[in-house]
Amino acid sequence: MADDEHHLQESPVESVLENLVEKIHRHDSSSSSSSDSDDDKKSPLSPSMKNKVFRLFGREKPVYKVLGGGKPADVLLWRNKKISGGILGTATAVWILFELMEYHLLALVCHFLIVALAVLFLWSNATMFINKSPPRIPEFYIPEEPVVQVASALTIEINRAFSILREIASGRDLKKFLSVIAGLWVLSIVGSWCNFLTLFYIAFVLLHTVPVMYEKYEDQVDAFSEKAWIEIKKQYAVFDAKVLSKFPRGPLKDKKV
């Protein structure tokens, strides 16, 4: 009887403990299921978030592919530092020679030919005096295939530029027309500050520095350009509403009855 009374006294306590344990297990299972469901909801959004990342000029390819890949991209992105440094150093030496020292192209070509002919003449006479046989001067010639490829590429790019200018002049896109006019105006101002050689050298240096720096700090530049692009779009919307909307878009068409 004592055992039965003791069992009856402990049973309410045990039942309360069992209820608490069951509630804890239910809470853990519900929280784990909710976290799993949240993960399932977040997982399909991650690819879309990645696709919505803002890239400068709306590019979808890496910088290496945008530059065309191959050896030109390797040079511009400093994949081979010796070749890139050598090309940039040669361009700097040419700019210093013609711009700072005020050397002229015709004088440079003539002086180079004088030195080359003098060296070859002395070398051939010294060889004949020592070996008693005329030396064989190496032949120099320009291969035809690379010249044809360069000329073909230049022709394609020039024709493409002419077609773009023709499309802009047709008056179909007022935004593109105004942007080109503004760009040419800025370029004319920069051209009045310096001559063509200095302008070409500045463009050459920028082409060898800006892509590699952009590739290194790509995320920071894209984030800043996104904010700037949003602000430009807001200002253009205001300008369009106040100014551009008052201009006629094109010839009026006859209304159909």
Side-chain angles (χ1 to χ4, degrees):
M1 293 295 290
D3 294 333
D4 293 337
E5 288 177 0
H6 181 70
H7 179 71
L8 290 173
Q9 289 176 358
E10 289 182 352
S11 60
V13 178
E14 292 177 355
S15 62
V16 170
L17 291 175
E18 290 176 356
N19 291 330
L20 289 174
V21 171
E22 289 178 358
K23 288 181 179 179
I24 291 171
H25 283 297
R26 289 177 183 176
H27 179 70
D28 292 336
S29 61
S30 63
S31 63
S32 62
S33 62
S34 63
S35 63
D36 293 335
S37 62
D38 292 336
D39 292 337
D40 293 334
K41 291 179 181 179
K42 291 179 181 178
S43 58
L45 292 177
S46 56
S48 62
M49 292 298 291
K50 290 180 180 179
N51 293 329
K52 291 181 181 179
V53 174
F54 180 85
R55 294 300 181 189
L56 194 61
F57 303 115
R59 65 178 182 84
E60 297 179 356
K61 299 179 180 179
V63 181
Y64 185 81
K65 295 295 183 181
V66 172
L67 295 176
K71 293 182 179 180
D74 291 336
V75 172
L76 295 177
L77 295 177
W78 293 73
R79 295 289 192 265
N80 192 334
K81 295 183 179 180
K82 292 182 179 180
I83 297 177
S84 301
I87 293 174
L88 188 59
T90 303
T92 303
V94 170
W95 178 76
I96 292 173
L97 188 66
F98 287 106
E99 185 64 23
L100 299 183
M101 299 179 65
E102 296 182 354
Y103 213 69
H104 298 284
L105 179 62
L106 183 59
L108 177 65
V109 172
C110 293
H111 292 168
F112 176 78
L113 290 176
I114 290 171
V115 173
L117 290 174
V119 169
L120 290 175
F121 181 80
L122 293 175
W123 175 63
S124 61
N125 286 320
T127 305
M128 289 181 62
F129 179 76
I130 296 172
N131 297 329
K132 305 296 183 180
S133 61
R136 182 179 179 182
I137 300 176
E139 296 180 358
F140 298 96
Y141 64 93
I142 299 175
E144 182 179 358
E145 185 177 357
V147 176
V148 173
Q149 291 178 355
V150 172
S152 178
L154 288 176
T155 304
I156 293 172
E157 295 299 328
I158 291 172
N159 291 331
R160 184 180 300 175
F162 284 153
S163 64
I164 292 173
L165 292 176
R166 180 176 178 275
E167 182 181 358
I168 293 171
S170 63
R172 298 176 184 177
D173 194 345
L174 182 60
K175 179 181 176 181
K176 186 182 291 185
F177 173 76
L178 292 176
S179 62
V180 171
I181 293 297
L184 291 175
W185 180 66
V186 172
L187 188 61
S188 66
I189 293 175
V190 175
S192 64
W193 294 344
C194 54
N195 57 16
F196 178 75
L197 181 61
T198 302
L199 187 62
F200 180 79
Y201 176 69
I202 292 172
F204 189 83
V205 172
L206 291 177
L207 193 61
H208 280 77
T209 53
V210 172
V212 65
M213 295 299 294
Y214 173 67
E215 188 184 33
K216 187 176 181 180
Y217 302 102
E218 181 178 355
D219 295 333
Q220 293 86 342
V221 174
D222 287 337
F224 178 77
S225 60
E226 182 179 9
K227 296 178 182 178
W229 180 246
I230 292 172
E231 186 64 26
I232 290 172
K233 289 176 69 176
K234 289 180 181 179
Q235 298 298 327
Y236 177 77
V238 175
F239 180 72
D240 189 15
K242 293 183 178 180
V243 179
L244 297 182
S245 60
K246 298 180 180 180
F247 289 96
R249 294 294 181 180
L252 298 176
K253 296 182 180 179
D254 296 333
K255 294 182 179 180
K256 295 182 180 180
V257 181

